[in-house]
C-alpha cells in the first residue's frame, strides 16, 4: 500500500527553484555515511590588485553535533532574586495569589555580555576550523593538534572576518536547500 504516492522527480516540491533529482531512501544501514556532505568554499583574495580565488575543501559531517557541544558551553547570565508582588503586572501574568521570590536572569550584566560576545565570535571560528577538510601544519611542518594552533595558522595566512563568515555560510549550504539568487530575483 502506497501512502504518500510516487516520489517527486525533483526536489522542487519545496518551491525553492532547485533542479535536482531526489533519491528515495528506503533503508538506513549503520556506517553507510549516507549524510556525509563535502564540498568547497570559494574565497576571494586580492594581492597587488590581482584577484584570485582559493578553493578550500569543507565538510558538514559532525558539524551539528559540534555546534551542540559548543552551545552547551555558552555563558549563562547571572541570577538574582526578586520579589514579584501578586498585584504587579508581572504577578498578574504569572497568576500569583501571593507575593513570590523568583529567579531573574540578568542579561544586562557587563561581564555576561562580554563573555557571550566572545563566545559567539569564537563559535564561528571553531565551526570553520572543524569544517575545513584540510591538513593543518605549522611552519616547522608538524601537524597542528589543537583548535588554537589551527586558528593561528589561519591568522598567519591572513584570513579575514569576511573569509570566516563565507566559509561558515558555505558549510551550512552543504546541507541546506536554497533557492538560487536568480530564481529569487525573477520572482521579485
Amino acid at each position: 500500500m502506497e501512502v504518500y504516492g510516487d516520489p517527486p522527480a525533483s526536489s522542487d516540491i519545496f518551491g525553492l527553484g532547485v533542479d535536482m533529482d531526489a533519491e528515495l531512501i528506503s533503508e538506513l544501514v549503520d556506517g553507510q555515511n549516507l549524510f556525509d556532505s563535502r564540498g568547497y568554499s570559494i574565497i576571494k583574495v586580492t594581492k597587488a590588485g590581482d584577484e584570485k580565488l582559493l578553493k578550500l575543501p569543507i565538510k558538514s559531517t559532525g558539524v551539528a553535533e559540534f555546534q551542540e557541544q559548543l552551545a552547551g558551553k555558552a555563558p549563562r547570565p547571572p541570577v538574582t532574586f526578586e520579589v514579584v508582588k501578586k498585584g504587579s503586572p508581572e504577578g498578574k501574568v504569572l497568576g500569583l495569589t501571593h507575593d513570590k521570590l523568583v529567579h531573574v536572569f540578568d542579561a544586562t550584566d557587563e561581564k555576561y555580555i562580554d563573555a557571550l560576545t566572545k563566545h559567539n565570535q569564537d563559535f564561528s571560528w571553531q565551526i570553520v576550523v572543524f569544517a575545513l577538510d584540510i591538513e593543518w601544519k605549522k611552519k616547522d611542518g608538524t601537524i597542528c593538534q589543537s583548535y588554537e594552533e589551527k586558528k593561528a595558522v589561519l591568522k598567519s595566512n591572513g584570513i579575514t572576518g569576511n573569509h570566516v563568515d563565507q566559509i561558515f555560510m558555505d558549510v551550512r549550504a552543504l546541507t541546506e536547500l536554497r533557492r538560487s539568487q536568480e530564481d529569487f530575483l525573477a520572482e521579485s
Side-chain angles (χ1 to χ4, degrees):
M1 175 179 176
E2 191 157 304
V3 178
Y4 300 107
D6 291 332
S10 152
S11 62
D12 195 33
I13 59 172
F14 301 110
L16 297 174
V18 177
D19 186 23
M20 144 185 349
D21 291 335
E23 179 182 347
L24 176 64
I25 304 301
S26 59
E27 71 175 15
L28 288 175
V29 179
D30 186 28
Q32 187 174 31
N33 292 328
L34 184 65
F35 303 105
D36 184 33
S37 294
R38 294 174 187 274
Y40 298 95
S41 184
I42 307 298
I43 302 299
K44 177 186 157 196
V45 295
T46 305
K47 294 182 182 182
D50 292 327
E51 295 179 348
K52 180 178 173 181
L53 298 177
L54 304 177
K55 187 175 178 180
L56 302 169
I58 54 175
K59 64 179 187 225
S60 70
T61 304
V63 170
E65 295 82 359
F66 188 59
Q67 285 178 320
E68 288 174 16
Q69 181 184 357
L70 292 175
K73 296 177 181 179
R76 308 250 190 274
V79 176
T80 59
F81 296 96
E82 290 186 19
V83 175
V84 176
K85 304 234 181 241
K86 66 180 179 182
S88 70
E90 295 86 2
K92 288 177 182 175
V93 168
L94 294 172
L96 298 180
T97 56
H98 59 279
D99 296 349
K100 186 173 184 178
L101 186 65
V102 295
H103 292 70
V104 178
F105 294 99
D106 183 6
T108 63
D109 180 79
E110 294 282 332
K111 288 181 184 176
Y112 166 70
I113 292 171
D114 291 344
L116 184 62
T117 300
K118 182 183 179 328
H119 170 80
N120 289 340
Q121 289 170 344
D122 204 40
F123 184 89
S124 295
W125 274 97
Q126 289 203 42
I127 296 300
V128 165
V129 166
F130 181 87
L132 281 170
D133 200 13
I134 59 177
E135 190 171 298
W136 296 89
K137 290 186 178 178
K138 296 183 239 178
K139 192 177 258 186
D140 65 6
T142 60
I143 303 294
C144 295
Q145 301 295 324
S146 69
Y147 157 72
E148 289 80 14
E149 291 174 334
K150 294 174 183 179
K151 183 177 177 182
V153 168
L154 286 172
K155 284 187 167 191
S156 74
N157 277 280
I159 196 165
T160 68
N162 287 338
H163 293 140
V164 172
D165 292 343
Q166 181 65 50
I167 296 167
F168 184 84
M169 290 186 302
D170 290 342
V171 170
R172 290 190 59 204
L174 281 177
T175 57
E176 183 179 82
L177 275 177
R178 299 185 301 179
R179 83 175 29 178
S180 71
Q181 184 176 8
E182 296 82 21
D183 293 332
F184 176 77
L185 293 174
E187 292 178 16
S188 297

